[in-house]
């Protein structure tokens, strides 16, 4: 069995080697010719899987995408050919949640403000939006949610409309899929008119899909509003972000919000489980065994961290400033965006860091945030 796999998918060898021959390929430039003889195709978000790519293949038994988003997959086409498909919903939600939370802590530090005193509006309250909300709530930040689809579906959390959220929120974090048409269209959800409605001094974070914000409008609005602070992990026109936009952004990264080692491993593992199920095989490998231990064995807390201390703890796990610096140096290089993603040094999630503490109750919030803990 030939298993064609994106070269940027970790842990493929230990999970899939027993199932067939693995061939790693560049997902961005994958051709129909390369796919022709594949039995299994495992991709990431940069591969458009459609009739054009699969035209020469008549033996494909499974397509898997180790991602949350499915906008790169022609699901109708796969269904028309009865090719089973799986993605990995939720695999990197914690990574995105922690990324957005850390970015907010960084902004607060940079501008001498306090995150804890802000109101954060989350647009899209699914897996990743909820993960950000969980971090913020653990830390005691007021959170507002906007998700008309979940509101209609009977989700019992409190939701508000987008216009109300824009009036109330000091910080807005975007977590919707890209939807190009219909009542809940998210393409250019943040157009010029909406961007102009952001509160004075607002922070806007985009960790979902670049085209949820009209990037040209963002340039125009930001050029007139120095007060706005931007964090962009995703860009209209990836892998070529608009060069004029980058200097206007406080923290700029190459679509790596979901790139924790745990998140990427979970993505590959979910596809392994689904394929085993399809092939009627026991999924006998374990995810826990794949992950290395964290560089810091454990850390003893001697005092309750304030917001600055919390940022220091977070930076021990992931220092966002490193990726921002690399991005500014390399985003305009030929292949720069993709090379940064390919060579990304996968960060760990908060859970990789064990905090040693005395007196459970006062530091409970750190464990709710995701850090691991042991008593002393
Ligand atoms: N930057 C990254 O590395 C990264 C990582 C993971 C996911 N993503 C992107 O983020 C998106 C969201 O991921 P998720 O796991 O939270 O997906 P999800 O499906 O769990 O949640 C998305 C939520 O958005 C809501 N929604 C849809 N249209 C909306 C609208 N018009 N207004 C408000 N809410 C709306 C949906 O009801 C849903 O609850 C993915 O589709 C993917 O495109 C990016
Ligand atoms: O949809 C997703 O899961 C994310 O956008 C994902 O992290 C994208 O990463 P890629 O598949 O391009 O490596």
């Amino acid at each position: 069995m030939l298993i064609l796999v994106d070269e940027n998918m970790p842990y493929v060898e230990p999970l899939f080697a027993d199932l067939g021959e693995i061939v790693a390929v560049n997902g961005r430039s994958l051709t129909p010719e390369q796919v022709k003889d594949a039995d299994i195709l495992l991709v990431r978000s940069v591969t458009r899987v459609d009739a054009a790519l699969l035209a020469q293949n008549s033996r494909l038994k499974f397509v898997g995408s180790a991602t949350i988003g499915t906008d790169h997959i022609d699901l109708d086409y796969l269904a028309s050919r009865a090719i089973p498909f799986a993605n990995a919903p939720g695999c990197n939600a914690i990574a995105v949640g922690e990324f957005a939370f850390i970015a907010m802590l960084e902004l607060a530090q940079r501008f001498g403000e306090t995150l804890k005193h802000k109101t954060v509006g989350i647009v899209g309250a699914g897996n990743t939006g909820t993960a950000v909300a969980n971090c913020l709530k653990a830390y005691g930040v007021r959170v507002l949610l906007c998700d008309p689809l979940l509101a209609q579906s009977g989700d019992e959390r409190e939701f508000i409309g987008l216009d109300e959220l824009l009036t109330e929120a000091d910080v807005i974090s975007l977590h919707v899929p890209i939807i190009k048409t219909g009542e809940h269209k998210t393409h250019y959800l943040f157009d010029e008119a909406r961007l102009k409605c952001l509160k004075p001094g607002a922070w806007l974070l985009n960790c979902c899909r670049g085209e949820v914000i009209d990037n040209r409008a963002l340039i125009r609005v930001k050029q007139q509003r120095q007060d706005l602070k931007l964090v962009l992990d995703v860009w209209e026109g990836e892998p070529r972000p608009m060069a004029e936009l980058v200097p206007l952004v406080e923290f700029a990264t190459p679509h790596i919000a979901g790139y924790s080692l745990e998140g990427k491993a979970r993505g590959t593992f979910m596809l392994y489980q689904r394929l085993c199920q399809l092939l009627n095989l026991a999924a006998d490998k374990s995810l826990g065994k794949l992950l290395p231990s964290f560089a810091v064995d454990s850390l003893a807390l001697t005092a309750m961290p304030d917001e600055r201390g919390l940022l220091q703890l977070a930076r021990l796990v992931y220092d966002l400033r490193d990726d921002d610096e690399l991005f500014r140096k390399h985003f305009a290089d030929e292949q720069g965006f993709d090379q940064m993603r390919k060579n990304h040094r996968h960060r760990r999630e908060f859970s990789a860091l064990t905090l040693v503490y005395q007196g459970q109750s006062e530091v409970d919030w750190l464990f709710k945030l995701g850090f691991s803990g042991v008593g002393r």
Side-chain angles (χ1 to χ4, degrees):
M1 193 158 70
L2 178 62
I3 306 177
L4 207 63
V5 46
D6 185 305
E7 62 193 0
N8 293 337
M9 203 178 295
Y11 301 120
V12 167
E13 277 297 324
L15 292 171
F16 290 88
D18 296 349
L19 304 177
E21 182 199 350
I22 297 169
V23 175
V25 288
N26 178 316
R28 179 94 62 189
S29 60
L30 194 61
T31 62
E33 178 62 27
Q34 285 174 292
V35 177
K36 185 162 62 91
D37 297 322
D39 298 283
I40 308 293
L41 176 62
L42 304 179
V43 297
R44 306 202 60 87
S45 74
V46 295
T47 305
R48 175 99 198 121
V49 180
D50 56 10
L53 185 72
L54 303 186
Q56 298 177 34
N57 184 309
S58 54
R59 52 189 297 162
L60 203 56
K61 295 170 189 62
F62 176 67
V63 174
S65 178
T67 57
I68 289 184
T70 55
D71 39 300
H72 53 299
I73 310 285
D74 187 338
L75 295 171
D76 292 339
Y77 175 71
L78 291 186
S80 75
R81 282 190 48 189
I83 299 171
F85 169 75
N87 67 324
C91 65
N92 49 30
I94 293 175
V96 174
E98 292 180 358
F99 179 96
F101 180 68
I102 291 171
M104 292 176 206
L105 287 173
E106 290 285 0
L107 284 176
Q109 164 84 6
R110 181 171 291 183
F111 294 103
E113 299 186 45
T114 310
L115 173 61
K116 199 164 196 164
H117 299 156
K118 297 208 174 270
T119 295
V120 179
I122 292 175
V123 184
N127 287 302
T128 60
T130 300
V132 189
N134 287 345
C135 287
L136 291 162
K137 285 197 242 163
Y139 181 47
V141 180
R142 179 170 178 246
V143 173
L144 304 172
L145 302 178
C146 165
D147 192 322
L149 288 113
L150 285 182
Q152 281 162 23
S153 77
D155 188 311
E156 286 180 353
R157 291 174 293 176
E158 193 180 323
F159 296 99
I160 61 171
L162 185 53
D163 291 337
E164 190 184 346
L165 183 135
L166 288 177
T167 342
E168 286 263 318
D170 308 304
V171 182
I172 295 177
S173 197
L174 305 179
H175 299 281
V176 292
I178 194 81
I179 305 175
K180 296 207 169 126
T181 53
E183 190 190 349
H184 298 294
K185 178 175 157 213
T186 59
H187 185 268
Y188 285 2
L189 183 65
F190 279 68
D191 57 8
E192 188 149 355
R194 282 236 162 78
L195 291 166
K196 283 183 170 160
C197 289
L198 292 169
K199 268 175 86 169
W203 302 349
L204 178 64
L205 292 84
N206 190 3
C207 296
C208 57
R209 286 291 181 263
E211 287 77 5
V212 172
I213 302 179
D214 177 345
N215 280 205
R216 291 223 164 276
L218 185 61
I219 294 171
R220 286 193 296 275
V221 172
K222 172 66 187 164
Q223 279 168 341
Q224 294 178 4
R225 287 199 47 189
Q226 302 301 314
D227 62 300
L228 298 180
K229 306 295 177 226
L230 307 174
V231 175
L232 297 185
D233 177 57
V234 289
W235 308 79
E236 187 173 352
E238 288 177 20
R240 292 237 160 261
M242 292 171 197
E244 318 89 280
L245 181 54
V246 176
L248 305 175
V249 173
E250 292 304 325
F251 289 97
T253 47
H255 196 148
I256 47 78
Y259 274 25
S260 66
L261 194 56
E262 289 86 344
K264 275 217 161 176
R266 267 184 228 115
T268 314
F269 193 75
M270 286 164 84
L271 300 187
Y272 160 73
Q273 285 179 309
R274 181 72 186 106
L275 182 60
C276 286
Q277 192 187 33
L278 265 173
L279 300 176
N280 261 323
L281 297 170
D284 53 5
K285 314 262 192 274
S286 138
L287 179 61
K289 290 202 180 122
L290 298 177
L291 294 168
S293 52
F294 185 51
V296 180
D297 186 27
S298 65
L299 189 79
L301 288 179
T302 51
M304 179 66 62
D306 56 10
E307 194 160 299
R308 198 186 169 85
L310 176 59
L311 176 59
Q312 277 162 354
L313 278 182
R315 279 180 183 167
L316 199 55
V317 181
Y318 176 52
D319 197 326
L320 174 58
R321 297 169 303 175
D322 296 341
D323 277 336
D324 173 68
E325 193 183 325
L326 270 179
F327 187 91
R328 287 171 204 282
K329 271 192 202 140
H330 296 297
F331 81 93
D333 298 353
E334 186 66 28
Q335 309 286 326
F337 195 90
D338 281 346
Q339 283 301 316
M340 283 185 281
R341 305 189 81 217
K342 181 179 165 114
N343 301 326
H344 189 256
R345 190 175 47 82
H346 291 105
R347 66 182 193 271
R348 300 304 295 268
E349 295 178 357
F350 287 156
S351 61
L353 178 60
T354 299
L355 301 176
V356 183
Y357 59 99
Q358 276 179 325
Q360 161 111 27
S361 55
E362 315 92 76
V363 285
D364 247 6
W365 62 276
L366 284 169
F367 308 120
K368 288 194 181 126
L369 247 172
F371 292 100
S372 296
V374 291
R376 200 163 59 165

